[in-house]
Amino acid sequence: MKPFATNRDLLKTPALIKISAVILATAAFFYLGKHLSDDGYKQLVFFSSSENSIPEVSISPNSNKTFNLSSIIPPNHTDIETAQPIPSPVTATEASPPPPPPPIPSPPPPATIRTFGVLDANGVMSDDFEEDEAIEEEESGNKTEIVQLRNDGVSKPRVRVKKFAMCRESMREYIPCLDNADAIKKLRSTERGEKFERHCPVKGRGLNCLVPPPKGYRQPIPWPRSRDEVWFSNVPHTRLVEDKGGQNWISRDPRDKSKFKFPGGGTQFIHGADEYLDQISKMVSVITFGKRIRVALDVGCGVASFGAYLLSRNVLTMSVAPKDVHENQIQFALERGVPAMAAAFATRRLLYPSQAFDLIHCSRCRINWTRDDGILLLEINRMLRAGGFFAWAAQPVYKHEAALEEQWTEMLNLTTSLCWKLVKKEGYIAIWQKPLNNNCYLSREAGTKPPLCDESDDPDNVWYTNLKPCISRIPENGSGGSVPSWPARLHTPPDRLQTITFDSYIARKELFKAESRFWNEIVGVISVP
C-alpha cells in the first residue's frame, strides 16, 4: 500500500492543474466582460419573471457604451478553417465610408381616375355631383358634351360624354329585334310567321337614338283602376277601337276622350272575362284559380283582359301576341299593368322553360295548331306542367260547318296522340289535360307520331332553339306536377329544383329558403312608408 502523497506532490497532480486553469479562465472572462461594459456598447435587455410576479424587464449596465475590438484581437490571428491571416480591424476613424445605397426609384404617379356620373374615385355614390362648362358638339346626329366633373369642391378631369339624340317620331314604337327590316328582307320564307320572331341587329348596328314617348305622355293610372281605364295620350291608337269596338274589348267615351275604357270582354267572351272565368271553373272543378292554378299563359291575348281579370283572382298570367296590324295590342296590356310581351308561335321555342304553366289559354288566337304535324301544339305541351290544362275557345269547337268540323277532328286526333285527355267540351270552350307521367307515351304502338324526344334533348334549352316535332318527356320523378296549392307553394321548395342546372349542386332547398328570406326582407323594407 502506497503512502499518502505529500503536499508538494498533491500540487503536481493533473486534477489540481485542471481546476486551477478553469478558475483562471473564469476570472479572465469576468474581467473581460467588465472591461467591455465600460466601453459603451448598447444595453442588453434581460427578461426575468417569477411564478407569483408580473414579468419584469431589466436593463443591461452596458447601456450607451462602445468599445474597440481591435485591442482584443491579436494582430496575426488566423482563420482556423482557411489558415489565412485575418487583417486587423480598423477603427471607425480609419475605415473608408461605405458606398451610398443606390437611389430608390420614385413610384409611378397613380393612374388618373376618370369619374363618370355620380360615383367618386372610391366608387361611392355622391349627392354633390355637378356638371359644369358644358360644350356641345354635333356627332352623327347625337350630342357630345365635354363636361368638368366636380365633387366636394375638387375639380375632376374633363371627360367626353355622349348624349343620345331622340329618334324620329315615326320610330315611336320601334323594337330593334322585331322591327329589323334588313334582316326580315333576307328571310327565305315568312309563311310560318318568321317575320314576327326576333332578328337582332349585328353588334354595333343597333339603335343609337332614344325612342320618343307619345306626345303628352302622363304617369300611368295605378292598379287596380288601370285594369279598367288608361290614358289615351299614353297609347294613342284608335284603330283597335274602330275594328273591335263591337266585341267589347275597348271603347272610348265621346264625352271623355282622355281615356280608353276596357269593359273586360273579348271575341269569345263578349259578356265579360269574369263570367268567362266562372264558366271554366264550373266546367272543370279542379281548375281553382288562385290555388291550384297560379301561373298561366294567354296566347293571342288581345288587350289582355283575360290576364287582367285573372290577376284579380291571384293568378299570374303572361300575355303574349305578335306585334300586329292593330298597332301593337301589347302596349295596352302593359299600360293596364298586366305582364305581357311580343312573341309568336312560328319556328322557334318560346322563351319559357318546360313545365312552366299550370294553364295555357287560347281564345280565337288564329293559330293553326295542327299544321306541320302539330309542331305548335307540341310547343304548348313542352311548356305545360304535367297535369296542367289547355283551354281552347274557337269556332271549330262549336260551329258545325264542314271545314270547321274537319279542323275539330284533326285537333282531336292530334291531342289523342299527345295523350291529352279531353276533360270537358261545353259551348265554345274545350279543355284538355296533360298526363302526369310518360306511361301513355311509352305504351303507344311503335311508329306512332309524334315520337318522344330523345333523352338527350333538353326541354329547357330555349334561346334561339328551333321547334322540335317530338313530345318532350316528363321527368320520371314526377316533379313537374307535384306542386302544392297556393299560397303554400310560395314557401315550398319544388321537387323539380333538383333537375335544374345551375352553379350550385348541393343544398338547393336551403338556397331556395335563403333566397326567399332575402327577398322577403327586401320587399319588407320597400313596403315601409
Side-chain angles (χ1 to χ4, degrees), residues 388-420:
F389 298 92
F390 176 68
W392 188 39
Q395 290 183 348
V397 176
Y398 64 92
K399 282 195 173 183
H400 299 285
E401 300 175 8
L404 295 175
E405 287 183 347
E406 183 179 352
Q407 293 179 24
W408 172 250
T409 301
E410 292 177 353
M411 189 69 168
L412 276 180
N413 294 336
L414 177 59
T415 53
T416 301
S417 65
L418 291 178
C419 293
W420 285 10

PDB file of all heavy atoms in Angstrom, residues 388-420:
ATOM      1  N   GLY A 388    -101.308  19.717 -66.179  1.00  0.00           N
ATOM      2  CA  GLY A 388    -101.844  21.034 -66.475  1.00  0.00           C
ATOM      3  C   GLY A 388    -102.931  20.997 -67.535  1.00  0.00           C
ATOM      4  O   GLY A 388    -103.198  19.962 -68.158  1.00  0.00           O
ATOM      5  N   PHE A 389    -103.549  22.165 -67.798  1.00  0.00           N
ATOM      6  CA  PHE A 389    -104.726  22.241 -68.670  1.00  0.00           C
ATOM      7  C   PHE A 389    -104.482  23.186 -69.847  1.00  0.00           C
ATOM      8  O   PHE A 389    -103.811  24.212 -69.707  1.00  0.00           O
ATOM      9  CB  PHE A 389    -105.941  22.728 -67.871  1.00  0.00           C
ATOM     10  CG  PHE A 389    -106.329  21.805 -66.744  1.00  0.00           C
ATOM     11  CD1 PHE A 389    -105.806  21.994 -65.464  1.00  0.00           C
ATOM     12  CD2 PHE A 389    -107.194  20.744 -66.960  1.00  0.00           C
ATOM     13  CE1 PHE A 389    -106.160  21.156 -64.422  1.00  0.00           C
ATOM     14  CE2 PHE A 389    -107.551  19.887 -65.923  1.00  0.00           C
ATOM     15  CZ  PHE A 389    -107.029  20.093 -64.651  1.00  0.00           C
ATOM     16  N   PHE A 390    -105.072  22.810 -71.002  1.00  0.00           N
ATOM     17  CA  PHE A 390    -105.084  23.658 -72.189  1.00  0.00           C
ATOM     18  C   PHE A 390    -106.536  23.966 -72.533  1.00  0.00           C
ATOM     19  O   PHE A 390    -107.345  23.054 -72.760  1.00  0.00           O
ATOM     20  CB  PHE A 390    -104.406  22.961 -73.356  1.00  0.00           C
ATOM     21  CG  PHE A 390    -104.474  23.736 -74.652  1.00  0.00           C
ATOM     22  CD1 PHE A 390    -103.780  24.929 -74.804  1.00  0.00           C
ATOM     23  CD2 PHE A 390    -105.245  23.276 -75.722  1.00  0.00           C
ATOM     24  CE1 PHE A 390    -103.845  25.656 -75.993  1.00  0.00           C
ATOM     25  CE2 PHE A 390    -105.308  23.985 -76.919  1.00  0.00           C
ATOM     26  CZ  PHE A 390    -104.607  25.178 -77.053  1.00  0.00           C
ATOM     27  N   ALA A 391    -106.882  25.270 -72.546  1.00  0.00           N
ATOM     28  CA  ALA A 391    -108.253  25.712 -72.846  1.00  0.00           C
ATOM     29  C   ALA A 391    -108.257  26.379 -74.215  1.00  0.00           C
ATOM     30  O   ALA A 391    -107.489  27.324 -74.460  1.00  0.00           O
ATOM     31  CB  ALA A 391    -108.739  26.677 -71.773  1.00  0.00           C
ATOM     32  N   TRP A 392    -109.160  25.897 -75.086  1.00  0.00           N
ATOM     33  CA  TRP A 392    -109.229  26.406 -76.464  1.00  0.00           C
ATOM     34  C   TRP A 392    -110.655  26.858 -76.734  1.00  0.00           C
ATOM     35  O   TRP A 392    -111.605  26.085 -76.654  1.00  0.00           O
ATOM     36  CB  TRP A 392    -108.826  25.300 -77.437  1.00  0.00           C
ATOM     37  CG  TRP A 392    -108.665  25.749 -78.863  1.00  0.00           C
ATOM     38  CD1 TRP A 392    -108.117  26.913 -79.297  1.00  0.00           C
ATOM     39  CD2 TRP A 392    -109.039  25.012 -80.033  1.00  0.00           C
ATOM     40  NE1 TRP A 392    -108.114  26.955 -80.676  1.00  0.00           N
ATOM     41  CE2 TRP A 392    -108.677  25.792 -81.150  1.00  0.00           C
ATOM     42  CE3 TRP A 392    -109.628  23.770 -80.257  1.00  0.00           C
ATOM     43  CZ2 TRP A 392    -108.886  25.376 -82.458  1.00  0.00           C
ATOM     44  CZ3 TRP A 392    -109.833  23.341 -81.559  1.00  0.00           C
ATOM     45  CH2 TRP A 392    -109.475  24.144 -82.655  1.00  0.00           C
ATOM     46  N   ALA A 393    -110.793  28.158 -77.024  1.00  0.00           N
ATOM     47  CA  ALA A 393    -112.099  28.716 -77.371  1.00  0.00           C
ATOM     48  C   ALA A 393    -112.004  29.214 -78.810  1.00  0.00           C
ATOM     49  O   ALA A 393    -111.349  30.220 -79.089  1.00  0.00           O
ATOM     50  CB  ALA A 393    -112.462  29.859 -76.429  1.00  0.00           C
ATOM     51  N   ALA A 394    -112.650  28.502 -79.730  1.00  0.00           N
ATOM     52  CA  ALA A 394    -112.536  28.837 -81.147  1.00  0.00           C
ATOM     53  C   ALA A 394    -113.730  28.268 -81.904  1.00  0.00           C
ATOM     54  O   ALA A 394    -114.472  27.420 -81.391  1.00  0.00           O
ATOM     55  CB  ALA A 394    -111.217  28.284 -81.713  1.00  0.00           C
ATOM     56  N   GLN A 395    -113.909  28.709 -83.130  1.00  0.00           N
ATOM     57  CA  GLN A 395    -115.064  28.287 -83.924  1.00  0.00           C
ATOM     58  C   GLN A 395    -115.133  26.781 -84.162  1.00  0.00           C
ATOM     59  O   GLN A 395    -116.234  26.216 -84.140  1.00  0.00           O
ATOM     60  CB  GLN A 395    -115.061  29.039 -85.252  1.00  0.00           C
ATOM     61  CG  GLN A 395    -115.387  30.518 -85.112  1.00  0.00           C
ATOM     62  CD  GLN A 395    -115.439  31.231 -86.456  1.00  0.00           C
ATOM     63  OE1 GLN A 395    -115.030  30.687 -87.476  1.00  0.00           O
ATOM     64  NE2 GLN A 395    -115.953  32.453 -86.454  1.00  0.00           N
ATOM     65  N   PRO A 396    -114.014  26.078 -84.416  1.00  0.00           N
ATOM     66  CA  PRO A 396    -114.121  24.625 -84.640  1.00  0.00           C
ATOM     67  C   PRO A 396    -114.727  23.879 -83.447  1.00  0.00           C
ATOM     68  O   PRO A 396    -115.218  22.750 -83.615  1.00  0.00           O
ATOM     69  CB  PRO A 396    -112.673  24.195 -84.874  1.00  0.00           C
ATOM     70  CG  PRO A 396    -111.990  25.414 -85.401  1.00  0.00           C
ATOM     71  CD  PRO A 396    -112.630  26.558 -84.673  1.00  0.00           C
ATOM     72  N   VAL A 397    -114.711  24.492 -82.248  1.00  0.00           N
ATOM     73  CA  VAL A 397    -115.250  23.818 -81.068  1.00  0.00           C
ATOM     74  C   VAL A 397    -116.784  23.758 -81.123  1.00  0.00           C
ATOM     75  O   VAL A 397    -117.386  22.747 -80.732  1.00  0.00           O
ATOM     76  CB  VAL A 397    -114.794  24.534 -79.785  1.00  0.00           C
ATOM     77  CG1 VAL A 397    -115.428  23.893 -78.557  1.00  0.00           C
ATOM     78  CG2 VAL A 397    -113.271  24.525 -79.673  1.00  0.00           C
ATOM     79  N   TYR A 398    -117.413  24.818 -81.637  1.00  0.00           N
ATOM     80  CA  TYR A 398    -118.879  24.901 -81.531  1.00  0.00           C
ATOM     81  C   TYR A 398    -119.615  25.068 -82.851  1.00  0.00           C
ATOM     82  O   TYR A 398    -120.840  24.883 -82.888  1.00  0.00           O
ATOM     83  CB  TYR A 398    -119.258  26.057 -80.600  1.00  0.00           C
ATOM     84  CG  TYR A 398    -118.854  27.429 -81.100  1.00  0.00           C
ATOM     85  CD1 TYR A 398    -119.732  28.207 -81.857  1.00  0.00           C
ATOM     86  CD2 TYR A 398    -117.591  27.953 -80.826  1.00  0.00           C
ATOM     87  CE1 TYR A 398    -119.367  29.465 -82.303  1.00  0.00           C
ATOM     88  CE2 TYR A 398    -117.227  29.204 -81.265  1.00  0.00           C
ATOM     89  CZ  TYR A 398    -118.110  29.966 -82.013  1.00  0.00           C
ATOM     90  OH  TYR A 398    -117.724  31.197 -82.465  1.00  0.00           O
ATOM     91  N   LYS A 399    -118.942  25.399 -83.942  1.00  0.00           N
ATOM     92  CA  LYS A 399    -119.649  25.573 -85.214  1.00  0.00           C
ATOM     93  C   LYS A 399    -119.664  24.257 -85.983  1.00  0.00           C
ATOM     94  O   LYS A 399    -118.724  23.468 -85.906  1.00  0.00           O
ATOM     95  CB  LYS A 399    -118.987  26.671 -86.044  1.00  0.00           C
ATOM     96  CG  LYS A 399    -119.363  28.071 -85.577  1.00  0.00           C
ATOM     97  CD  LYS A 399    -118.998  29.115 -86.613  1.00  0.00           C
ATOM     98  CE  LYS A 399    -119.533  30.487 -86.215  1.00  0.00           C
ATOM     99  NZ  LYS A 399    -119.244  31.518 -87.251  1.00  0.00           N
ATOM    100  N   HIS A 400    -120.740  24.058 -86.738  1.00  0.00           N
ATOM    101  CA  HIS A 400    -120.922  22.788 -87.424  1.00  0.00           C
ATOM    102  C   HIS A 400    -120.842  22.963 -88.941  1.00  0.00           C
ATOM    103  O   HIS A 400    -121.641  22.393 -89.694  1.00  0.00           O
ATOM    104  CB  HIS A 400    -122.270  22.164 -87.036  1.00  0.00           C
ATOM    105  CG  HIS A 400    -122.376  21.885 -85.571  1.00  0.00           C
ATOM    106  ND1 HIS A 400    -121.731  20.840 -84.967  1.00  0.00           N
ATOM    107  CD2 HIS A 400    -123.062  22.539 -84.594  1.00  0.00           C
ATOM    108  CE1 HIS A 400    -122.009  20.849 -83.667  1.00  0.00           C
ATOM    109  NE2 HIS A 400    -122.817  21.884 -83.413  1.00  0.00           N
ATOM    110  N   GLU A 401    -119.881  23.718 -89.384  1.00  0.00           N
ATOM    111  CA  GLU A 401    -119.596  23.833 -90.814  1.00  0.00           C
ATOM    112  C   GLU A 401    -118.577  22.758 -91.186  1.00  0.00           C
ATOM    113  O   GLU A 401    -117.768  22.338 -90.348  1.00  0.00           O
ATOM    114  CB  GLU A 401    -119.063  25.229 -91.133  1.00  0.00           C
ATOM    115  CG  GLU A 401    -120.049  26.342 -90.786  1.00  0.00           C
ATOM    116  CD  GLU A 401    -119.444  27.725 -91.008  1.00  0.00           C
ATOM    117  OE1 GLU A 401    -118.334  27.784 -91.564  1.00  0.00           O
ATOM    118  OE2 GLU A 401    -120.083  28.721 -90.618  1.00  0.00           O
ATOM    119  N   ALA A 402    -118.624  22.326 -92.431  1.00  0.00           N
ATOM    120  CA  ALA A 402    -117.789  21.196 -92.865  1.00  0.00           C
ATOM    121  C   ALA A 402    -116.309  21.451 -92.613  1.00  0.00           C
ATOM    122  O   ALA A 402    -115.599  20.608 -92.042  1.00  0.00           O
ATOM    123  CB  ALA A 402    -118.041  20.909 -94.347  1.00  0.00           C
ATOM    124  N   ALA A 403    -115.832  22.622 -93.019  1.00  0.00           N
ATOM    125  CA  ALA A 403    -114.408  22.912 -92.858  1.00  0.00           C
ATOM    126  C   ALA A 403    -114.015  22.979 -91.386  1.00  0.00           C
ATOM    127  O   ALA A 403    -112.954  22.487 -90.980  1.00  0.00           O
ATOM    128  CB  ALA A 403    -114.069  24.221 -93.562  1.00  0.00           C
ATOM    129  N   LEU A 404    -114.880  23.569 -90.582  1.00  0.00           N
ATOM    130  CA  LEU A 404    -114.578  23.703 -89.154  1.00  0.00           C
ATOM    131  C   LEU A 404    -114.667  22.355 -88.435  1.00  0.00           C
ATOM    132  O   LEU A 404    -113.875  22.073 -87.532  1.00  0.00           O
ATOM    133  CB  LEU A 404    -115.537  24.711 -88.511  1.00  0.00           C
ATOM    134  CG  LEU A 404    -115.405  26.156 -89.025  1.00  0.00           C
ATOM    135  CD1 LEU A 404    -116.477  27.039 -88.401  1.00  0.00           C
ATOM    136  CD2 LEU A 404    -114.012  26.711 -88.726  1.00  0.00           C
ATOM    137  N   GLU A 405    -115.626  21.517 -88.838  1.00  0.00           N
ATOM    138  CA  GLU A 405    -115.718  20.187 -88.241  1.00  0.00           C
ATOM    139  C   GLU A 405    -114.482  19.357 -88.587  1.00  0.00           C
ATOM    140  O   GLU A 405    -114.021  18.548 -87.766  1.00  0.00           O
ATOM    141  CB  GLU A 405    -116.990  19.488 -88.718  1.00  0.00           C
ATOM    142  CG  GLU A 405    -118.256  20.063 -88.093  1.00  0.00           C
ATOM    143  CD  GLU A 405    -119.504  19.304 -88.518  1.00  0.00           C
ATOM    144  OE1 GLU A 405    -119.397  18.505 -89.483  1.00  0.00           O
ATOM    145  OE2 GLU A 405    -120.558  19.502 -87.895  1.00  0.00           O
ATOM    146  N   GLU A 406    -113.946  19.547 -89.782  1.00  0.00           N
ATOM    147  CA  GLU A 406    -112.711  18.845 -90.151  1.00  0.00           C
ATOM    148  C   GLU A 406    -111.542  19.301 -89.271  1.00  0.00           C
ATOM    149  O   GLU A 406    -110.727  18.476 -88.840  1.00  0.00           O
ATOM    150  CB  GLU A 406    -112.400  19.102 -91.632  1.00  0.00           C
ATOM    151  CG  GLU A 406    -111.170  18.362 -92.121  1.00  0.00           C
ATOM    152  CD  GLU A 406    -110.887  18.619 -93.589  1.00  0.00           C
ATOM    153  OE1 GLU A 406    -111.739  19.246 -94.258  1.00  0.00           O
ATOM    154  OE2 GLU A 406    -109.817  18.203 -94.061  1.00  0.00           O
ATOM    155  N   GLN A 407    -111.485  20.600 -89.003  1.00  0.00           N
ATOM    156  CA  GLN A 407    -110.435  21.105 -88.117  1.00  0.00           C
ATOM    157  C   GLN A 407    -110.578  20.532 -86.707  1.00  0.00           C
ATOM    158  O   GLN A 407    -109.585  20.206 -86.051  1.00  0.00           O
ATOM    159  CB  GLN A 407    -110.486  22.632 -88.071  1.00  0.00           C
ATOM    160  CG  GLN A 407    -110.120  23.319 -89.377  1.00  0.00           C
ATOM    161  CD  GLN A 407    -110.223  24.832 -89.282  1.00  0.00           C
ATOM    162  OE1 GLN A 407    -110.126  25.414 -88.198  1.00  0.00           O
ATOM    163  NE2 GLN A 407    -110.440  25.476 -90.422  1.00  0.00           N
ATOM    164  N   TRP A 408    -111.804  20.385 -86.247  1.00  0.00           N
ATOM    165  CA  TRP A 408    -112.032  19.821 -84.920  1.00  0.00           C
ATOM    166  C   TRP A 408    -111.582  18.355 -84.866  1.00  0.00           C
ATOM    167  O   TRP A 408    -110.966  17.907 -83.888  1.00  0.00           O
ATOM    168  CB  TRP A 408    -113.503  19.955 -84.545  1.00  0.00           C
ATOM    169  CG  TRP A 408    -113.860  19.220 -83.283  1.00  0.00           C
ATOM    170  CD1 TRP A 408    -114.620  18.099 -83.178  1.00  0.00           C
ATOM    171  CD2 TRP A 408    -113.441  19.536 -81.950  1.00  0.00           C
ATOM    172  NE1 TRP A 408    -114.722  17.690 -81.879  1.00  0.00           N
ATOM    173  CE2 TRP A 408    -113.995  18.570 -81.096  1.00  0.00           C
ATOM    174  CE3 TRP A 408    -112.658  20.539 -81.407  1.00  0.00           C
ATOM    175  CZ2 TRP A 408    -113.792  18.565 -79.724  1.00  0.00           C
ATOM    176  CZ3 TRP A 408    -112.454  20.543 -80.034  1.00  0.00           C
ATOM    177  CH2 TRP A 408    -113.013  19.566 -79.201  1.00  0.00           C
ATOM    178  N   THR A 409    -111.872  17.609 -85.903  1.00  0.00           N
ATOM    179  CA  THR A 409    -111.449  16.206 -85.960  1.00  0.00           C
ATOM    180  C   THR A 409    -109.926  16.107 -85.942  1.00  0.00           C
ATOM    181  O   THR A 409    -109.354  15.241 -85.246  1.00  0.00           O
ATOM    182  CB  THR A 409    -112.012  15.527 -87.218  1.00  0.00           C
ATOM    183  OG1 THR A 409    -113.450  15.610 -87.214  1.00  0.00           O
ATOM    184  CG2 THR A 409    -111.594  14.072 -87.286  1.00  0.00           C
ATOM    185  N   GLU A 410    -109.260  16.960 -86.698  1.00  0.00           N
ATOM    186  CA  GLU A 410    -107.792  16.957 -86.710  1.00  0.00           C
ATOM    187  C   GLU A 410    -107.236  17.286 -85.322  1.00  0.00           C
ATOM    188  O   GLU A 410    -106.253  16.691 -84.875  1.00  0.00           O
ATOM    189  CB  GLU A 410    -107.273  17.969 -87.733  1.00  0.00           C
ATOM    190  CG  GLU A 410    -107.562  17.586 -89.181  1.00  0.00           C
ATOM    191  CD  GLU A 410    -107.095  18.661 -90.153  1.00  0.00           C
ATOM    192  OE1 GLU A 410    -106.667  19.752 -89.672  1.00  0.00           O
ATOM    193  OE2 GLU A 410    -107.171  18.438 -91.370  1.00  0.00           O
ATOM    194  N   MET A 411    -107.891  18.225 -84.640  1.00  0.00           N
ATOM    195  CA  MET A 411    -107.451  18.594 -83.307  1.00  0.00           C
ATOM    196  C   MET A 411    -107.636  17.432 -82.333  1.00  0.00           C
ATOM    197  O   MET A 411    -106.774  17.168 -81.484  1.00  0.00           O
ATOM    198  CB  MET A 411    -108.231  19.826 -82.828  1.00  0.00           C
ATOM    199  CG  MET A 411    -107.705  20.437 -81.538  1.00  0.00           C
ATOM    200  SD  MET A 411    -106.092  21.219 -81.752  1.00  0.00           S
ATOM    201  CE  MET A 411    -105.962  22.111 -80.196  1.00  0.00           C
ATOM    202  N   LEU A 412    -108.760  16.718 -82.444  1.00  0.00           N
ATOM    203  CA  LEU A 412    -108.993  15.572 -81.575  1.00  0.00           C
ATOM    204  C   LEU A 412    -107.934  14.492 -81.795  1.00  0.00           C
ATOM    205  O   LEU A 412    -107.414  13.904 -80.829  1.00  0.00           O
ATOM    206  CB  LEU A 412    -110.386  14.992 -81.822  1.00  0.00           C
ATOM    207  CG  LEU A 412    -111.574  15.639 -81.104  1.00  0.00           C
ATOM    208  CD1 LEU A 412    -112.863  14.916 -81.469  1.00  0.00           C
ATOM    209  CD2 LEU A 412    -111.367  15.616 -79.594  1.00  0.00           C
ATOM    210  N   ASN A 413    -107.620  14.198 -83.032  1.00  0.00           N
ATOM    211  CA  ASN A 413    -106.624  13.175 -83.338  1.00  0.00           C
ATOM    212  C   ASN A 413    -105.242  13.561 -82.802  1.00  0.00           C
ATOM    213  O   ASN A 413    -104.522  12.720 -82.259  1.00  0.00           O
ATOM    214  CB  ASN A 413    -106.558  12.935 -84.847  1.00  0.00           C
ATOM    215  CG  ASN A 413    -107.834  12.330 -85.398  1.00  0.00           C
ATOM    216  OD1 ASN A 413    -108.599  11.681 -84.666  1.00  0.00           O
ATOM    217  ND2 ASN A 413    -108.096  12.530 -86.686  1.00  0.00           N
ATOM    218  N   LEU A 414    -104.900  14.829 -82.954  1.00  0.00           N
ATOM    219  CA  LEU A 414    -103.585  15.282 -82.502  1.00  0.00           C
ATOM    220  C   LEU A 414    -103.478  15.222 -80.985  1.00  0.00           C
ATOM    221  O   LEU A 414    -102.483  14.717 -80.438  1.00  0.00           O
ATOM    222  CB  LEU A 414    -103.332  16.703 -83.010  1.00  0.00           C
ATOM    223  CG  LEU A 414    -102.023  17.359 -82.564  1.00  0.00           C
ATOM    224  CD1 LEU A 414    -100.821  16.538 -83.011  1.00  0.00           C
ATOM    225  CD2 LEU A 414    -101.924  18.790 -83.107  1.00  0.00           C
ATOM    226  N   THR A 415    -104.472  15.727 -80.302  1.00  0.00           N
ATOM    227  CA  THR A 415    -104.418  15.716 -78.835  1.00  0.00           C
ATOM    228  C   THR A 415    -104.435  14.285 -78.283  1.00  0.00           C
ATOM    229  O   THR A 415    -103.809  13.998 -77.261  1.00  0.00           O
ATOM    230  CB  THR A 415    -105.591  16.512 -78.244  1.00  0.00           C
ATOM    231  OG1 THR A 415    -106.826  16.026 -78.785  1.00  0.00           O
ATOM    232  CG2 THR A 415    -105.447  17.991 -78.581  1.00  0.00           C
ATOM    233  N   THR A 416    -105.132  13.369 -78.976  1.00  0.00           N
ATOM    234  CA  THR A 416    -105.120  11.973 -78.544  1.00  0.00           C
ATOM    235  C   THR A 416    -103.737  11.371 -78.673  1.00  0.00           C
ATOM    236  O   THR A 416    -103.275  10.633 -77.798  1.00  0.00           O
ATOM    237  CB  THR A 416    -106.131  11.156 -79.360  1.00  0.00           C
ATOM    238  OG1 THR A 416    -107.441  11.712 -79.196  1.00  0.00           O
ATOM    239  CG2 THR A 416    -106.144   9.703 -78.921  1.00  0.00           C
ATOM    240  N   SER A 417    -103.043  11.677 -79.779  1.00  0.00           N
ATOM    241  CA  SER A 417    -101.680  11.157 -79.963  1.00  0.00           C
ATOM    242  C   SER A 417    -100.714  11.756 -78.949  1.00  0.00           C
ATOM    243  O   SER A 417     -99.672  11.163 -78.662  1.00  0.00           O
ATOM    244  CB  SER A 417    -101.195  11.445 -81.389  1.00  0.00           C
ATOM    245  OG  SER A 417    -101.074  12.844 -81.611  1.00  0.00           O
ATOM    246  N   LEU A 418    -101.066  12.918 -78.394  1.00  0.00           N
ATOM    247  CA  LEU A 418    -100.241  13.533 -77.354  1.00  0.00           C
ATOM    248  C   LEU A 418    -100.596  13.005 -75.963  1.00  0.00           C
ATOM    249  O   LEU A 418    -100.015  13.453 -74.969  1.00  0.00           O
ATOM    250  CB  LEU A 418    -100.431  15.057 -77.353  1.00  0.00           C
ATOM    251  CG  LEU A 418     -99.881  15.844 -78.542  1.00  0.00           C
ATOM    252  CD1 LEU A 418    -100.199  17.325 -78.400  1.00  0.00           C
ATOM    253  CD2 LEU A 418     -98.384  15.642 -78.663  1.00  0.00           C
ATOM    254  N   CYS A 419    -101.557  12.070 -75.920  1.00  0.00           N
ATOM    255  CA  CYS A 419    -102.033  11.502 -74.648  1.00  0.00           C
ATOM    256  C   CYS A 419    -102.749  12.534 -73.797  1.00  0.00           C
ATOM    257  O   CYS A 419    -102.847  12.366 -72.564  1.00  0.00           O
ATOM    258  CB  CYS A 419    -100.884  10.859 -73.860  1.00  0.00           C
ATOM    259  SG  CYS A 419    -100.200   9.386 -74.667  1.00  0.00           S
ATOM    260  N   TRP A 420    -103.247  13.605 -74.411  1.00  0.00           N
ATOM    261  CA  TRP A 420    -104.051  14.566 -73.671  1.00  0.00           C
ATOM    262  C   TRP A 420    -105.463  14.004 -73.515  1.00  0.00           C
ATOM    263  O   TRP A 420    -105.996  13.331 -74.397  1.00  0.00           O
ATOM    264  CB  TRP A 420    -104.138  15.893 -74.426  1.00  0.00           C
ATOM    265  CG  TRP A 420    -102.883  16.728 -74.366  1.00  0.00           C
ATOM    266  CD1 TRP A 420    -101.669  16.358 -73.886  1.00  0.00           C
ATOM    267  CD2 TRP A 420    -102.753  18.066 -74.823  1.00  0.00           C
ATOM    268  NE1 TRP A 420    -100.775  17.380 -74.015  1.00  0.00           N
ATOM    269  CE2 TRP A 420    -101.417  18.453 -74.591  1.00  0.00           C
ATOM    270  CE3 TRP A 420    -103.615  18.970 -75.413  1.00  0.00           C
ATOM    271  CZ2 TRP A 420    -100.937  19.717 -74.925  1.00  0.00           C
ATOM    272  CZ3 TRP A 420    -103.142  20.235 -75.752  1.00  0.00           C
ATOM    273  CH2 TRP A 420    -101.803  20.600 -75.504  1.00  0.00           C
TER     274      TRP A 420
END
